[in-house]
Amino acid sequence: MDITETLAIPIPEQLDPSATTGHADLDLTTVGDITVPDPRMKLRDINVFYGQKQAVFNVNLDIGSNSVSAMIGPSGCGKTTLLRCLNRMNDTIDGCRVEGRVEMDGKNVYARKVDPVLLRARVGMVFQKPNPFPKSIFDNVAYGPRIHGLVHDRTDLEEIVHTSLERAGLLNEVKDRLDQPGTGLSGGQQQRLCIARAIAVSPEVILMDEPCSALDPIATARIEELIGELRKNFSIAIVTHSMQQAARVSQRTAYFHLGYLVEVGPTKDIFTTPKHQLTEEYITGRFG
Amino acid sequence: MSRTEQIVSGLARRQRAEKRFRLYGLIAIVLGMSFLLLLFGSIVTNGYKAFTQTYIELPIYFNPEVIDPGGEHDPQTLFSADYWKLVKTAMYQKFPQVSGRKERRELARMISEGSAYELRDQVLENPGLIGTTRHIWVVADDDIDMLMKGYIDREVPEDERRLNDRVIGYVDDLREAGVIERQFNTTFFTAGDSREPEQAGILGALTGSFLTLIITLLLSFPIGVAAAIYLEEFAPRNRFIDLIEININNLAAVPSIIFGLLGLAIFINWFGMPRSTAIVGGLVLALMTLPTIIIASRVSIQAVPPSIKEAALGVGASRMQAMFHHVLPIAMPGMLTGTIIGMARALGETAPLLMIGMVAFIVEPPSGFTDPATALPVQIFLWSDSPERGFTERTSAAILVLLAFLIAMNAAAVYLREKVTKRF
Amino acid sequence: MLRQARDANATRLNSLPEYFGMLGAIWAGAPALLVYFVWLAFEGDILMAQVLEMLPDADSMAATQELLIGDIRNAIENPISYRIASEEVRMAADRYRELSQTATLALTATCLSVFAVCSALALKFMTPRIRARAQVEKIIRGFLLLCSMLAIFITIGIVLSVLFEASRFFQIVSVTEFLFGLDWSPQMAIREDQVGSSGAFGAVPLFVGTLLISFIAMLVAAPVGLMSAIYLSEYAPSKVRAAVKPLLEILAGVPTVVYGFFAAIVVGPALRGFGQSVGLDVASESALAAGFVMGIMIIPFVSSISDDVITAVPQAMRDGSLAMGATHSETMRRVILPAALPGIIGGLLLAISRAIGETMIVVMAAGLSANLTANPLEAVTTVTVQIVTLLVGDQEFDSPKTLAAFALGLALFFITLALNFIALYVVRKYREQYE
Ligand SMILES: Nc1ncnc2c1ncn2[C@@H]1O[C@H](COP(=O)(O)OP(=O)(O)OP(=O)(O)O)[C@@H](O)[C@H]1O
Ligand SMILES: [Mg+2]
């Protein structure tokens, strides 16, 4: 028994984020203009709690129409949490509570009478890890139109599936194996399949949570290209860890730190002339 | 129609389907819970009254002429004397107005015949009682007991119930005099089986179960742990070991009655071991529990952090020493948990014991592993077949005792498990 | 002896002294123990053979000889049988007791001398250079291996013993008749000359009865178990889940004899009463009552397996579907259940095998007479019920009646084994898919 005692591996002390950054006394109020001329969605005074723990503090932010908004920041700063507020996916997490307003068309999506089902049909989402359903490629893309009752006959459905795959840039690769399982595709193809699945119900907004983090550079390039295409028809909010990616695909960038929105502005301004010390440190790679 | 309108139009229907689905789930839960409630409720309501029993207080005159005519207190004479006569006489004296032969027989039949043995034991213990009169609470017949517990409906026509109006009148008289009452049923816990409900108890069955489980534990725990150690630590990865593993998994799902057949064919017919005994029962149950214990032990060995073993190996211990000195002590609580659960299962098992003849009618509690014995669940099975209401009640009470043991064992297992999970 | 070795050579030992002690004990003790057990295993038969030889007219007819042996055994074990036994048997029993006393003495002497010889040899060969630890560990390892091989021995034991007795049965009744015969009335075949001609061993009614009851059980258990697993894993707040799950598990821990009692005392009469009130004739030992209660017993089994496979479906599937705007039930029905289907089917197969092999509920609540019917309101009998009725009570071991029980056991064993095998395979394949 004594061996086991002496062997006990010390559990690392809970890392205290403020201690590691060394900026505990810094001002974390947002720098930059949070509004855009043609907002598709607006976040106002958003606070998010997981049980007792607060993960997002007082965030105000607009998501512009037909543009790509990027969210960047160190790991654990609440990007995913905030993104999931936009389509109320946080509802599915036990103990998660959202305060504040998320507006779409001037209405609060967190209002009682709003049905998250409808909201999620209008605000689609692509996840970090590709998650095609264990069904055929066709059925994956047809999933949304089917459950929402958007089609009435097979030809309609086939048309939707084809155009969605086309827009996701996947059609050529899969058009003669639509009946094969979606899980059999490569990682990059799977992610494009998930994008096709999301756009098949023609949402107004698409949320993407690090959509390329599981992919190789070539697949990433394809997805980035695709995002540029999709921007013409959809409003996109994307979380990314790659600053180059944010610089390449987005028009506006928001930088988060420890649950606070620290700085927001046009992407090129953020990357060339960051106003906040934390933003600067992050993009110059001093931490994160 | 815009896309949003299209979606909205279907929304109400979809939400209704959602509600319905959710309701089905809720109904399933409620059904499950109510089955549980019904099961326990019916057994408790059927059985709780069996923990009391009706006694009648009689002034017993230990008449020397009846039990000790010679006056020499010879145990042999005292043992075989007619104590029943004492009871009868006392009963007749209680009701001097009753004189007919038939009526007197009815009077005597109100008392359990077991009370004679009760008196005999008292006299043998204390011969000084002879010649004195003592007020003694004797056990009433089970029909009287049923009446006192309200199971006999006085409204039913006389010839359709087990007690006639006269006897009910006697009982009412006794009740008025305050000499009939329900007291804690000690017989139930101190007697073996009997043909008479009021004399039947679970001691014999409990002893049998206990002896059987000892054998089961002694065999299945060490062998199970040893097998688990081998498979986790020393087994090479080859076909043969795969075969053993598949075998263990499949054995865990073999119907228990098959193990009974195995016991009958091999232990009894082939090895010539005695039927109806705890040793054979224990063997059979050990074979049956073995897979459970092996599987649980393997899981708890796997749960020990590999660093512990590696550290021991690092300081020069052999694999065997690392296993026995360092891994095993940590895995032990988990193994014990699995063993307790396995034992609880074995305690509730009936079918294989029927196969090896542990269903005999056994009055004397077994005093050893090779005595004819029965087990608590088998006793339940035997009693459940008896038509008397008194046995139905005792069946339920025996089930309550069995469940109490099982709950205690499972609580112990849960407690152990909690302790383990806290440590890591 | 070892103490000396230790003192003298402590510096040159290549293992800890304890290991020399253990090794010595094994060398000295194991042969004696072996002798002891081998002796015990054969003592009875050898003694009996001697006793029989001694008897004046030791009959050569095997059948009567077996009877005689049974009588003698009884007389030895049971004082009452001894008193009522014939003169001849009593004499044999006395002789047996005498012989067995001598034998015990001889055994003690033999064991002690084997022990002494082995000890001496051990002492002689035990030198400090022996790698005692390695040897002891090898022996322990052998023991461990033996223990894990016991699982195989048990299986072989089951197969061989049941197969052997069953084959004796099939010498009397043909396999085809047993498997396809429609008439089962073993009681009629007690007398040897009736066997075969009476055609009383057709097991089809038993198989049908077993299937009927199992089917009813699954009808109760599958929807209730599956839906409660779904509700608990998808809808219930974690507090409800934490309270209800263990409560459901209680149902799995209740001994089957309790369910049997419940079926016979509560459910059977209740169904019968209900039937009467709506004008249906329900047998008091109806398949419905037994099947229903068996279903209750299996609910937690189905629900815990379903719960396992449902929670094994990655959260990403759920999220993906919900994010598309699917409701929870759509997610469940269209994504999770199809993905979990193999696992659930495997679980249901295990549950069916459980139902088929279940004994006490049907013994206490199902019928005894073989009734070839699919009507759940009538009484049917099952394979396990027949095994119990054939083997409980007085039995001559050679009558086709008792042997039939082993034939049924054989069928039961292989059916449940096949079901388990398929089920475990399906479940494992399913698990691998998500690992
Ligand atoms: N389900 C949950 N329950 C409790 N706390 C959570 C949960 N999900 C996230 N958190 C906490 O909320 C904070 C923000 O998490 P979030 O996932 O939003 O970070 P992130 O910025 O997306 O990080 P990453 O870049 O690593 O994905 C973290 O401190 C995290 O520990
Ligand atoms: Mg994230």
Side-chain angles (χ1 to χ4, degrees), chain A residues 17 48-51 53-56 72-84 90 93-96 128 209-210 239-241 256 258-259 282:
Chain A
V48 186
F49 303 84
Y50 290 110
K53 186 173 165 262
Q54 187 162 5
V56 170
I72 60 171
S75 183
C77 67
K79 306 177 297 286
T80 299
T81 306
L82 193 71
L83 197 71
R84 288 168 70 106
N90 283 334
I93 297 174
D94 240 12
C96 182
Q128 179 169 359
D209 190 355
E210 301 179 36
V239 168
T240 173
H241 265 158
F256 292 84
L258 294 176
Y282 183 72

Side-chain angles (χ1 to χ4, degrees), chain B residues 14 18 26 247 253 269 318 321, chain C residues 133 137 155 325 329-330 397:
Chain B
R14 289 169 65 197
E18 167 75 11
L26 199 61
N247 236 299
N269 281 336
S318 68
Q321 285 169 322
Chain C
R133 180 167 100 178
E137 290 193 349
T155 310
S329 60
E330 284 160 352
F397 214 72

Side-chain angles (χ1 to χ4, degrees), chain A residues 253-287:
Chain A
T253 297
Y255 172 69
F256 292 84
H257 190 88
L258 294 176
Y260 291 90
L261 172 56
V262 170
E263 183 167 353
V264 59
T267 298
K268 58 179 190 314
D269 295 352
I270 294 276
F271 283 103
T272 50
T273 53
K275 299 199 186 77
H276 200 286
Q277 187 191 343
L278 287 170
T279 322
E280 188 186 342
E281 286 177 3
Y282 183 72
I283 62 172
T284 54
R286 243 176 281 167
F287 73 86

Side-chain angles (χ1 to χ4, degrees), chain C residues 21-101:
Chain C
M22 278 192 241
L23 190 60
I26 293 170
W27 280 358
L33 271 181
L34 191 70
V35 169
Y36 180 77
F37 282 114
V38 170
W39 188 299
L40 277 196
F42 292 102
E43 187 188 77
D45 288 340
I46 295 175
L47 291 191
M48 191 55 79
Q50 293 209 346
V51 167
L52 287 178
E53 228 158 75
M54 178 210 78
L55 284 183
D57 45 42
D59 223 309
S60 53
M61 262 182 63
T64 50
Q65 190 163 16
E66 250 172 59
L67 278 181
L68 187 63
I69 292 177
D71 282 351
I72 298 175
R73 282 246 157 80
N74 275 339
I76 295 164
E77 279 160 19
N78 192 336
I80 299 171
S81 315
Y82 181 78
R83 239 175 289 149
I84 57 172
S86 69
E87 184 62 32
E88 185 190 34
V89 170
R90 264 198 257 181
M91 211 172 73
D94 289 341
R95 176 84 184 126
Y96 187 96
R97 284 217 194 94
E98 249 169 62
L99 281 176
S100 109
Q101 268 171 13

Side-chain angles (χ1 to χ4, degrees), chain B residues 66-260:
Chain B
V66 178
I67 52 176
D68 193 20
E72 61 269 297
H73 291 195
D74 173 26
Q76 198 64 49
T77 330
L78 291 183
F79 186 82
S80 48
D82 184 6
Y83 293 90
W84 184 235
K85 196 163 180 188
L86 303 183
V87 179
K88 277 197 294 196
T89 318
M91 201 60 190
Y92 298 155
Q93 272 165 6
K94 264 247 134 50
F95 295 92
Q97 77 278 16
V98 178
S99 55
R101 259 179 72 93
K102 189 171 152 219
E103 286 78 7
R104 285 194 140 192
R105 187 152 0 104
E106 281 170 0
L107 260 190
R109 231 191 264 145
M110 289 171 66
I111 310 292
S112 164
E113 281 174 34
S115 55
Y117 306 115
E118 193 74 16
L119 295 184
R120 179 191 70 195
D121 292 347
Q122 288 191 16
V123 168
L124 284 176
E125 199 172 298
N126 178 14
L129 285 174
I130 297 169
T132 63
T133 302
R134 296 290 163 103
H135 287 268
I136 292 180
W137 287 97
V138 295
V139 178
D141 187 67
D142 64 311
D143 286 337
I144 307 297
D145 192 38
M146 290 301 107
L147 179 72
M148 289 291 284
K149 287 173 178 166
Y151 292 127
I152 292 180
D153 187 357
R154 293 167 189 241
E155 306 301 316
V156 170
E158 194 175 2
D159 50 355
E160 285 174 24
R161 56 175 133 85
R162 289 183 64 95
L163 294 177
N164 60 25
D165 288 344
R166 236 187 342 265
V167 176
I168 292 182
Y170 301 149
V171 172
D172 289 342
D173 289 349
L174 291 171
R175 194 155 15 186
E176 233 153 70
V179 292
I180 184 168
E181 66 180 40
R182 278 162 58 193
Q183 299 174 354
F184 181 70
N185 185 357
T186 39
T187 317
F188 185 66
F189 294 97
T190 56
D193 199 2
S194 167
R195 299 274 183 228
E196 300 297 327
E198 76 276 3
Q199 295 172 43
I202 55 170
L203 185 64
L206 265 182
T207 320
S209 273
F210 182 71
L211 294 174
T212 309
L213 280 197
I214 286 183
I215 300 277
T216 305
L217 182 65
L218 286 183
L219 285 171
S220 62
F221 180 64
I223 296 180
V225 170
I229 290 175
Y230 185 80
L231 292 177
E232 277 306 311
E233 187 57 36
F234 302 106
R237 290 289 118 205
N238 61 26
R239 275 257 173 107
F240 180 65
I241 299 299
D242 284 349
L243 184 71
I244 292 184
E245 294 190 348
I246 292 173
N247 236 299
I248 290 173
N249 286 333
N250 276 318
L251 272 186
V254 167
S256 60
I257 192 171
I258 299 283
F259 286 96

